[in-house]
Amino acid sequence: HKRCQSVCALRDRAASPQKKALNYQQVTYLLPACNGEITTMSFLQDIVDILLQYVVKSFDRTTKVIDFHYPNELLQEYNWELADQPQTLEEILLNCRTTLKYAIKTGHPRYFNQLSTGLDMVGLAADWLTSAANTNMFTYEIAPVFVLLEYVTLRKMREMVGWPGGCGDGIFSPGGAISNMYAMLIARFKMFPEVKEKGMAAIPRLVAFTSEHSHFSVKKGAAALGIGTDSVILIRCDERGKMIPSDLERRILEAKQKGFVPFLVSATAGTTVYGAFDPLIAIADICKKYKIWMHVDGAWGGGLLMSRKHKWKLNGVERANSVTWNPHKMMGVPLQCSALLVREEGLMQSCNQMHASYLFQQDKHYDLSYDTGDKALQCGRHVDVFKLWLMWRAKGTTGFEAQIDKCLELAEYLYNKIKNREGYEMVFDGKPQHTNVCFWYIPPSLRSMEDNEERMSRLMKVAPVIKARMMEYGTTMVSYQPLGDKVNFFRMVISNPAATHQDIDFLIDEIERLGQDL
């Protein structure tokens, strides 16, 4: 009863903001201003009220997922420009309300647009604490607890990958794309350590291999590291989007015959669109045979290692040399939280260290192995570990397992509901391996049409129109895309533990409501 009263009070406040007890002036009245404590406490309390109102609304199914406006409308409706003179704190609070008014409620139970969804309360609290601590991750002396938590958490993640005793190394990086680039960087250094000083001109032409359904970051990393996108060879996939091992071996042999040096295979555990898991054991056998670094991009699928029911889908991951795992996706940790795990200890340090004497003094009075900053590409590095660590403490592994299993069960529920439903066609046969459910909605006007080029041309326009209508009504959001020879289709993903069967039912009804006249 008390909890309901609190929620109602927050909603009332959201509907009609209270007058401030203080007459707010400018930011100069906040700490560290002399006698600024009362004004600071009042200001921050008002900020917390705004945030709490937003949090409560995010889980309220009667509210919109999005209050959509076109960019030119938003630019014209508000003054976003930066001025020479300061605003009052009242105006700053208004800026905060306006920003959240037009923000996408990514924690809303009917937001299905991206791989990262949901709003975890412990994770949110941890993010607030991280910002208040406002430190950098490069040395133990300025981030003692956070550095230790990164050590403990990365070791636990390596244990779950299957490396004995959690041996190895790792780092939290600004997203899976950077984690994948780290893997490419370290794999190159492992094969040709002289590249660090002498550059690409000193080594042979390198080639990397990844599936045609893999994330674009593999090519982007090759471009950034001077390897070149032409040196990333795309391996064919089967109809479910899994890399075909025989094609991988064929392309490796072709590259070697041309005088190129294969240095990395990036397998994918949970592809972005189909949610496919490459056959890691077969790929590991090939990598071992040809002495090639095996990386597993588990940014999306790595979370399944938390589930006893589903972790078999990553069988063979323990044979990888490196693994990308994004807890900010399937585990629901607030953005951003991505880990690169490396099996060989010390390799990352050797690859990246520059011995900056103003940070990494060798005569400090504590164990210098905890000064981890020199193994990172960044100098300034955000504290990304605390929210994951605190959520793990709050939920335990079993709590993460339960929410992941629930999301996969919801995906299977959606698949079973639409696989034989009139007006739906599945993009590939069989139940999904991850929470990705890929399908076309076929409006009544197209259902009796012959399957020809004209039908494909018209079907291509269906998903974009329905998506635009979803956003304009603000009721839900789900992604769409073409892939290969397949025209635009919906890619439903579920990673928000707040979603229910009723939300899946709502999505289906909404697609039909918005698309029946097309």
Side-chain angles (χ1 to χ4, degrees):
H1 179 66
K2 284 182 180 176
R3 204 174 299 137
C4 290
Q5 283 182 327
S6 299
V7 170
C8 291
L10 280 169
R11 284 179 182 159
D12 291 343
R13 255 192 242 180
S16 108
Q18 303 293 307
K19 281 191 172 182
K20 302 291 170 292
L22 293 173
N23 181 20
Y24 276 157
Q25 301 297 319
Q26 284 144 1
V27 71
T28 51
Y29 287 81
L30 299 177
L31 288 173
C34 184
N35 299 319
E37 293 88 349
I38 294 175
T39 305
T40 298
M41 294 284 285
S42 180
F43 171 70
L44 291 180
Q45 185 59 59
D46 286 334
I47 290 289
V48 168
D49 286 346
I50 291 169
L51 294 175
L52 291 179
Q53 290 159 20
Y54 180 78
V55 167
V56 171
K57 281 185 176 181
S58 291
F59 292 94
D60 184 352
R61 288 171 175 80
T62 65
T63 64
K64 290 183 175 184
V65 174
I66 174 177
D67 184 356
F68 179 76
H69 286 65
Y70 288 96
N72 61 317
E73 293 174 341
L74 268 184
L75 283 170
Q76 290 168 14
E77 191 167 343
Y78 294 95
N79 177 15
W80 305 98
E81 297 302 319
L82 299 171
D84 291 336
Q85 298 304 313
Q87 288 188 323
T88 66
L89 293 178
E90 286 282 11
E91 290 171 312
I92 296 301
L93 292 173
L94 182 60
N95 292 160
C96 293
R97 290 191 187 95
T98 302
T99 300
L100 289 177
K101 173 176 167 58
Y102 297 107
I104 313 301
K105 293 188 184 74
T106 57
H108 197 290
R110 292 173 181 171
Y111 174 79
F112 304 108
N113 205 65
Q114 306 300 138
L115 304 183
S116 303
T117 67
L119 184 58
D120 186 272
M121 296 302 101
V122 174
L124 178 62
D127 235 356
W128 291 352
L129 185 149
T130 297
S131 291
N134 191 33
T135 194
N136 198 317
M137 283 296 289
F138 46 59
T139 61
Y140 178 85
E141 71 179 275
I142 65 164
V145 177
F146 296 134
V147 164
L148 292 178
L149 296 185
E150 187 169 74
Y151 171 80
V152 167
T153 305
L154 288 171
R155 183 182 62 195
K156 180 67 173 178
M157 293 173 80
R158 293 192 298 266
E159 280 180 14
M160 302 201 77
V161 165
W163 297 335
C167 66
D169 207 342
I171 201 166
F172 284 93
S173 79
I178 302 299
S179 291
N180 287 340
M181 188 175 76
Y182 264 119
M184 190 172 281
L185 177 72
I186 297 164
R188 182 179 66 178
F189 177 81
K190 174 69 173 175
M191 186 171 279
F192 295 103
E194 64 270 26
V195 74
K196 181 176 177 181
E197 287 82 23
K198 296 182 169 54
M200 289 294 290
I203 65 174
R205 167 80 181 271
L206 301 180
V207 286
F209 305 84
T210 193
S211 89
E212 59 189 355
H213 283 209
S214 67
H215 195 259
F216 67 84
S217 59
V218 179
K219 280 195 169 186
K220 187 166 279 195
L225 295 175
I227 294 165
T229 58
D230 286 350
S231 296
V232 177
I233 297 171
L234 300 182
I235 307 304
R236 288 191 299 113
C237 295
D238 63 19
E239 68 282 353
R240 293 295 303 267
K242 300 179 181 185
M243 185 192 291
I244 300 172
S246 60
D247 191 53
L248 170 63
E249 186 162 24
R250 180 180 69 82
R251 300 301 296 275
I252 288 172
L253 290 170
E254 278 181 7
K256 289 169 75 72
Q257 286 165 5
K258 292 176 182 177
F260 303 151
V261 178
F263 81 107
L264 174 128
V265 173
S266 181
T268 311
T271 57
T272 306
V273 179
Y274 280 12
F277 289 80
D278 287 342
L280 301 182
I281 294 174
I283 292 169
D285 289 341
I286 293 168
C287 288
K288 181 179 180 182
K289 181 177 179 180
Y290 296 101
K291 298 181 172 59
I292 304 172
W293 183 282
M294 178 182 172
H295 174 63
V296 174
D297 178 5
W300 176 222
L304 271 61
L305 290 170
M306 310 292 280
S307 168
R308 286 165 291 187
K309 183 177 180 181
H310 295 285
K311 66 181 180 181
W312 65 268
K313 296 167 186 177
L314 290 97
N315 282 352
V317 69
E318 71 282 353
R319 296 177 61 186
N321 298 97
S322 56
V323 177
T324 291
W325 179 353
N326 284 12
H328 70 227
K329 289 190 167 75
M330 200 62 208
M331 293 167 68
V333 177
L335 284 157
Q336 62 195 19
C337 188
S338 173
L340 184 275
L341 310 173
V342 182
R343 189 167 62 185
E344 183 178 334
E345 189 173 0
L347 189 59
M348 178 178 276
Q349 184 85 8
S350 300
C351 179
N352 295 324
Q353 67 184 354
M354 290 294 161
H355 305 289
S357 60
Y358 53 86
L359 283 178
F360 308 111
Q361 301 92 339
Q362 296 305 297
D363 51 1
K364 291 181 180 180
H365 63 290
Y366 58 83
D367 183 349
L368 296 179
S369 68
Y370 291 103
D371 280 1
T372 56
D374 214 10
K375 68 183 177 186
L377 288 176
Q378 303 160 262
C379 180
R381 188 160 66 91
H382 188 260
V383 177
D384 290 331
V385 66
F386 187 66
K387 51 202 167 187
L388 170 59
W389 178 85
L390 200 65
M391 285 174 64
W392 210 324
R393 297 275 283 198
K395 296 173 188 287
T397 305
T398 56
F400 276 123
E401 177 182 44
Q403 74 180 48
I404 288 166
D405 287 352
K406 177 190 174 184
C407 290
L408 280 137
E409 187 275 323
L410 285 175
E412 191 169 344
Y413 173 79
L414 171 62
Y415 166 73
N416 288 331
K417 186 145 186 164
I418 64 175
K419 65 180 179 181
N420 297 316
R421 188 183 181 97
E422 185 181 11
Y424 291 84
E425 289 182 15
M426 306 309 298
V427 173
F428 54 81
D429 294 329
K431 91 177 176 183
Q433 271 207 293
H434 207 335
T435 70
N436 308 53
V437 182
C438 300
F439 61 91
W440 289 282
Y441 172 69
I442 316 295
S445 66
L446 301 185
R447 291 175 195 171
S448 58
M449 279 188 71
E450 190 178 333
D451 191 5
N452 54 27
E453 193 171 325
E454 183 192 351
R455 182 178 186 269
M456 287 296 102
S457 177
R458 291 174 65 178
L459 182 58
M460 179 175 65
K461 300 171 185 174
V462 171
V465 173
I466 292 175
K467 172 66 176 289
R469 290 177 177 180
M470 282 178 179
M471 294 180 69
E472 285 164 6
Y473 280 102
T475 51
T476 187
M477 286 178 70
V478 62
S479 184
Y480 72 87
Q481 66 283 298
L483 186 67
D485 61 352
K486 294 176 170 60
V487 299
N488 285 324
F489 56 88
F490 286 113
R491 180 213 60 176
M492 173 70 172
V493 287
I494 305 163
S495 59
N496 185 354
T500 65
H501 293 99
Q502 290 73 28
D503 297 312
I504 304 300
D505 295 339
F506 176 86
L507 174 75
I508 295 168
D509 292 341
E510 194 69 352
I511 288 173
E512 293 172 0
R513 180 180 78 86
L514 297 173
Q516 62 183 345
D517 65 326
L518 298 178

